[in-house]
Amino acid sequence: MQNERYPKIYIRSKNELAKHLSHKKFSKDEALNLINDVMRNFNQYWKHNEVMSEPEKEKYVRNAKGTPLGKLLDKINTQVLAPHDSILPCFIFGGVKEKNHVQASQHLLGTKRLRVALKMDITHFFEQVTSERVYNFFLHKCGCDKRASKILTNLCCVTVGPKDSNLEKKTIARGFATSSRLAVWCNLDTFIKLERLVQKRLKGKDPRVAIYVDDIGVTASRVSKEEMEKLATEIEELLLHTDKNQPLPVNAKKTKVTSHDEGIEHLGLKLNKNTLSLGKKSWSKRDQMKSYLKKDLSVQEKTSIRTKYRAMSQYKRYVESF
């Protein structure tokens, strides 16, 4: 039986998928032709993003933009997955329409002062979500037919490692339009248990949880760093063992507990008493651009830096508006 916290998609066939993707300017027949084309030529329509990939860390970013696969994934993301964003819990921010990292950080400000923050990072988050997990999400959580679940899974997943590897394991593709939402939906039960654990352990201390893709932020008022470190250990165990079919190991090197006196930063932003501001790296980058403008540069170089500086200033105003 489908759980009420999951999307009611009920796609039973390739034709029904085409119907979901069609609209006035894109007919069902056009959608069906696109699906068939991508299914025949899937591997030809994606490649590695060499610039963003980190082979030494076994992180391979996939790129399907500008191809029929990219077009199809965009449509699946916006017309099959995105319409159900509203039923996600309020502490989920990554990969959700009209939510971003600034709102995630603002949520962590809370309403009570003297806060302590915990930051954690899930290791290889996208690579942890296997094709079997995606298939079961569509089949058992969304009420899709086996055929449709298999089609959707095959469109959204690729083999791990380099493109030409002979490895059998398939996971959601880092870089595909559908991946952030699928990563959230496929781990939603675990994330809900995590939030409940935080609320239980920090009851009465204005606890806040913000999950932004693979970044987990927790804040609370008037707790000791020792309490938060103990909670970090519990969260790590929960992520690793709650679901035996979907362990989520944490990068221990990135786990950090910070008090308000030390200066709390999350997702590149500084959490002040009641407001947000740019974090150290962003301030440094902005000051660096400002100093470059005083140097003897070509007109083209100065124009480029001014454009970036104006964008950074606009971003600063946006952050400070929260």
Side-chain angles (χ1 to χ4, degrees), residues 33 86 91 113 117 121 174 181 204 214 303:
N33 288 335
S86 61
F91 60 86
R113 305 281 66 85
D121 180 87
R174 183 182 291 267
R181 281 189 171 88
D214 56 354
T303 300

Side-chain angles (χ1 to χ4, degrees), residues 84-280:
H84 306 282
D85 284 353
S86 61
I87 65 175
L88 282 167
C90 64
F91 60 86
I92 301 291
F93 291 87
V96 181
K97 184 169 52 180
E98 298 180 357
K99 285 190 176 183
N100 57 36
H101 70 289
V102 182
Q103 291 163 307
S105 299
Q106 193 271 341
H107 178 70
L108 292 175
L109 287 175
T111 58
K112 296 181 180 179
R113 305 281 66 85
L114 298 176
R115 301 189 78 77
V116 172
L118 166 63
K119 174 179 170 57
M120 305 182 80
D121 180 87
I122 298 172
T123 301
H124 291 154
F125 185 40
F126 292 109
E127 290 79 10
Q128 304 295 345
V129 185
T130 65
S131 57
E132 290 82 7
R133 190 73 171 187
V134 176
Y135 175 79
N136 285 325
F137 163 67
F138 284 119
L139 180 66
H140 299 299
K141 305 294 188 180
C142 302
C144 293
D145 180 88
K146 290 182 178 180
R147 295 167 297 172
S149 297
K150 185 175 181 180
I151 290 170
L152 286 163
T153 300
N154 288 338
L155 292 173
C156 298
C157 298
V158 299
T159 54
V160 296
K163 183 174 182 178
D164 297 326
S165 68
N166 294 319
L167 299 174
E168 292 183 4
K169 182 182 177 183
K170 295 178 70 176
T171 68
I172 57 174
R174 183 182 291 267
F176 278 9
T178 51
S179 294
S180 291
R181 281 189 171 88
L182 286 176
V184 168
W185 284 115
C186 289
N187 291 285
L188 184 58
D189 290 346
T190 296
F191 289 154
I192 288 174
K193 288 180 180 179
L194 185 158
E195 200 268 346
R196 287 174 178 169
L197 172 65
V198 171
Q199 294 295 332
K200 182 179 180 180
R201 293 288 184 267
L202 303 177
K203 185 177 180 180
K205 299 177 180 179
D206 189 27
R208 296 295 180 97
V209 176
I211 296 178
Y212 185 81
V213 193
D214 56 354
D215 283 294
I216 299 170
V218 178
T219 65
S221 177
R222 301 179 186 278
V223 298
S224 67
K225 292 181 71 173
E226 289 73 24
E227 285 180 88
M228 199 65 93
E229 287 165 357
K230 182 178 178 182
L231 177 61
T233 301
E234 286 192 82
I235 291 175
E236 184 174 349
E237 289 295 309
L238 183 150
L239 290 170
L240 198 57
H241 301 297
T242 290
D243 189 335
K244 64 180 181 180
N245 296 314
Q246 185 69 72
L248 296 174
V250 168
N251 186 340
K253 293 180 180 179
K254 293 186 177 182
T255 297
K256 187 176 182 181
V257 175
T258 314
S259 69
H260 181 76
D261 292 338
E262 295 170 309
I264 297 173
E265 287 199 15
H266 188 68
L267 298 173
L269 300 176
K270 184 179 179 182
L271 278 62
N272 304 308
K273 186 176 180 180
N274 297 304
T275 61
L276 299 174
S277 58
L278 298 183
K280 292 179 182 178

Side-chain angles (χ1 to χ4, degrees), residues 293-308:
L293 290 172
K294 298 177 182 179
K295 295 182 178 181
D296 185 19
L297 302 173
S298 68
V299 174
Q300 185 177 5
E301 288 173 322
K302 281 201 171 186
T303 300
S304 176
I305 293 173
R306 282 198 187 98
T307 300
K308 293 177 181 178

Side-chain angles (χ1 to χ4, degrees), residues 278 281-295 297 301-315:
L278 298 183
K281 286 186 179 180
S282 293
W283 272 116
S284 176
K285 185 178 179 181
R286 188 171 182 267
D287 291 341
Q288 189 178 48
M289 286 188 286
K290 194 173 183 179
S291 66
Y292 280 157
L293 290 172
K294 298 177 182 179
K295 295 182 178 181
L297 302 173
E301 288 173 322
K302 281 201 171 186
T303 300
S304 176
I305 293 173
R306 282 198 187 98
T307 300
K308 293 177 181 178
Y309 183 79
R310 281 195 294 268
M312 179 64 76
S313 297
Q314 186 177 7
Y315 174 62

